[in-house]
Amino acid sequence: MKARDKPTGQKVKSILDRYQRDSGMLVSVLQDVQAEYNYLPKKSLAQVSQGLDVPLTQVYSVATFFKAFSLKPRGRHIINVCLGTACHVRGAVGIREEIERELDIKPGETTKDFKYTMETVNCVGACALGPIVIIDGKYSGQMKTDKVKPLLESYD
Amino acid sequence: MVTLTIDGREVQAEEGTTILEAARESNIYIPTLCYHEEVTPYGACRLCLVEVARNGREKLVASCLYEVAEGLRVKTNSERIASNRKMIMELLLARCPNNKAIQDLARQLGVEKTSFKLEDKQCILCALCVRVCQEVVGVSAISLVNRGVDRQMATPFYEPSDVCIGCGACAYVCPTGAIGFEDVGDTRYIHWPNNKMEFKLRKCKTCGNYWAPEKQLDYIIKKANLSPDAFDNCPDCRD
């Protein structure tokens, strides 16, 4: 966890204040906490539970339900590999394997230096561009295995 | 009051109540696993499905959630219901093939075996324990976590809960007996499907028997504003 802000509590407090501690805004609060820390630290979940006066059980249920939330620290760059049908038939599995080899992580995992996290999705609605890889929201279409390494290296 | 028809019988029911409640009131049997009158209906087990006629079309609904309405025509045991219910029961039996409660209910509904891949679980994820803990006990120590095939009943982070008082209400209401609960000596053990907890029991000042968890008694004293010594003696030794 080097070069990473320790959860301070102050940041979560200001997020809670921004939503007037409205328990109906639980998902939005968690999204903002995740945007702040890149994941949902255990301490912040307890703080959100207290701040919104929502049982910790409910906060934990919501945090574990949505795939967009992560309870584990994630990398600075989020790689999404599309494995939808169109991408799949155009060789998306090969792309995923190339990234796995290049970074030595499996889908859902984060590299040891917290640089990359790889995830898979089942269609991003850009089938004409398949196979497609999305890094930090930026789409790279018509991927080929030999384009994987240069693409990854373009991020620091 | 509204009047509806269940299996050809005219039945009166309070507005805002459900078909299941109206049926039980009239001694019409509908099987359920996740229903309990003390908590909000949840519609998880789907065994209570019935057929209601509306605009000439009949549809299957969960009777524990569907509110009664004037002139509603309900069937609780048509062929369509029976076959759907059997399918649900087969799925439950595949999940919990070794559970006595599930086996018994399956047999009662005419399901002898299941064609699905067998698992070995006890919990059917009906969330009755979760609802009782939150709504009746008022504690909310447990919930359903994760999603899809990973869904489980657990405490946050699968860790011992700070708020659980060890009352055992979850074990008491569990329709499949998936939650274990045992007092040995001065300790109460609660075994949930995915984690467990231990609680220290209080000793009765008169007879010396261990009779209830410290945390539960403290919780009741706080909640009901009783004097701190209200539970020094067990119910048998109180005058």
Side-chain angles (χ1 to χ4, degrees):
Chain A
M1 286 239 336
K2 64 176 180 188
R4 182 164 293 272
D5 294 334
K6 279 264 176 243
T8 57
Q10 198 53 44
K11 285 178 183 165
V12 176
K13 191 174 168 290
S14 68
I15 292 169
L16 288 166
D17 290 340
R18 203 181 313 149
Y19 290 99
Q20 282 99 47
R21 303 187 176 244
D22 174 359
S23 63
M25 302 306 286
L26 175 59
V27 171
S28 302
V29 169
L30 291 180
Q31 279 176 325
D32 286 11
V33 173
Q34 168 135 327
E36 189 64 57
Y37 297 114
N38 216 340
Y39 76 110
L40 296 174
K42 201 168 155 186
K43 266 190 188 162
S44 331
L45 290 189
Q47 200 183 342
V48 168
S49 153
Q50 272 199 330
L52 299 181
D53 197 19
V54 167
L56 182 60
T57 43
Q58 204 185 322
V59 177
Y60 186 75
S61 287
V62 170
T64 54
F65 183 84
F66 292 106
K67 222 184 154 183
F69 293 132
S70 171
L71 295 180
K72 282 186 287 193
R74 300 206 296 171
R76 290 197 303 284
H77 304 294
I78 312 291
I79 307 167
N80 269 305
V81 185
C82 181
L83 293 181
T85 311
C87 289
H88 185 93
V89 296
R90 292 186 197 186
V93 174
I95 306 291
R96 189 200 70 204
E97 284 168 355
E98 181 64 17
I99 299 174
E100 285 177 2
R101 257 195 304 277
E102 204 59 55
L103 302 177
D104 196 22
I105 51 173
K106 295 256 174 270
E109 292 179 355
T110 301
T111 54
K112 284 198 187 78
D113 57 2
F114 286 102
K115 188 168 172 189
Y116 302 103
T117 294
M118 173 170 51
E119 266 155 20
T120 60
V121 284
N122 293 328
C123 194
V124 292
C127 303
L129 298 177
I132 193 160
V133 170
I134 306 153
I135 304 187
D136 297 343
K138 190 167 168 288
Y139 289 58
S140 305
Q142 266 113 38
M143 278 303 292
K144 294 195 169 62
T145 43
D146 57 5
K147 279 162 70 179
V148 165
K149 201 173 177 195
L151 178 68
L152 291 174
E153 281 171 352
S154 68
Y155 289 86
D156 56 28
Chain B
M1 288 297 249
V2 296
T3 309
L4 64 155
T5 324
I6 304 180
D7 294 341
R9 265 171 68 185
E10 276 208 357
V11 166
Q12 298 263 314
E14 199 90 41
E15 237 167 291
T17 58
T18 62
I19 294 175
L20 180 64
E21 286 164 336
R24 295 233 160 144
E25 200 67 32
S26 315
N27 288 321
I28 297 167
Y29 174 73
I30 297 174
T32 60
L33 281 172
C34 75
Y35 176 79
H36 195 286
E37 57 189 18
E38 288 301 321
V39 294
T40 319
Y42 193 67
C45 73
R46 310 313 283 186
L47 283 173
C48 71
L49 56 88
V50 297
E51 228 171 343
V52 297
R54 212 174 203 190
N55 307 329
R57 285 187 58 196
E58 291 188 320
K59 59 173 182 177
L60 292 171
V61 299
S63 63
C64 69
L65 290 168
Y66 202 92
E67 284 187 13
V68 295
E70 185 62 43
L72 196 68
R73 281 184 298 119
V74 182
K75 283 189 215 159
T76 70
N77 222 344
S78 68
E79 199 130 300
R80 187 176 169 206
I81 296 167
S83 76
N84 276 279
R85 198 172 274 156
K86 275 188 174 175
M87 176 58 74
I88 295 164
M89 206 58 236
E90 268 198 49
L91 288 162
L92 287 168
L93 191 59
R95 183 181 170 86
C96 316
N98 302 314
N99 185 281
K100 177 90 174 34
I102 297 291
Q103 288 168 347
D104 288 351
L105 192 56
R107 205 169 302 123
Q108 185 197 320
L109 296 176
V111 176
E112 294 296 339
K113 59 178 180 25
T114 175
S115 37
F116 300 101
K117 199 173 143 237
L118 296 187
E119 294 176 63
D120 188 17
K121 299 219 164 76
Q122 305 292 329
C123 170
I124 58 165
L125 301 174
C126 72
L128 188 50
C129 51
V130 173
R131 287 173 284 152
V132 163
C133 187
Q134 183 160 17
E135 298 176 28
V136 179
V137 186
V139 157
S140 196
I142 46 178
S143 65
L144 295 185
V145 304
N146 303 331
R147 176 179 187 161
V149 292
D150 298 322
R151 198 110 165 118
Q152 288 182 326
M153 172 268 186
T155 53
F157 307 101
Y158 294 81
E159 288 173 356
S161 165
D162 290 339
V163 291
C164 181
I165 56 172
C167 67
C170 51
Y172 180 76
V173 293
C174 179
T176 63
I179 303 173
F181 169 89
E182 200 184 6
D183 288 354
V184 183
D186 62 350
T187 312
R188 167 170 297 182
Y189 299 88
I190 295 184
H191 291 265
W192 291 307
N194 304 295
N195 52 332
K196 58 182 177 192
M197 274 185 84
E198 289 177 15
F199 295 88
K200 215 171 151 20
L201 295 173
R202 184 167 295 174
K203 199 176 188 171
C204 172
K205 279 201 172 153
T206 311
C207 68
N209 287 335
Y210 291 100
W211 65 283
E214 297 272 5
K215 274 184 126 178
Q216 181 182 4
L217 298 175
D218 292 342
Y219 179 78
I220 298 171
I221 286 170
K222 205 173 131 205
K223 199 135 203 206
N225 233 336
L226 303 176
S227 89
D229 61 358
F231 292 127
D232 282 357
N233 294 309
C234 73
D236 294 339
C237 297
R238 250 174 264 156
D239 26 61

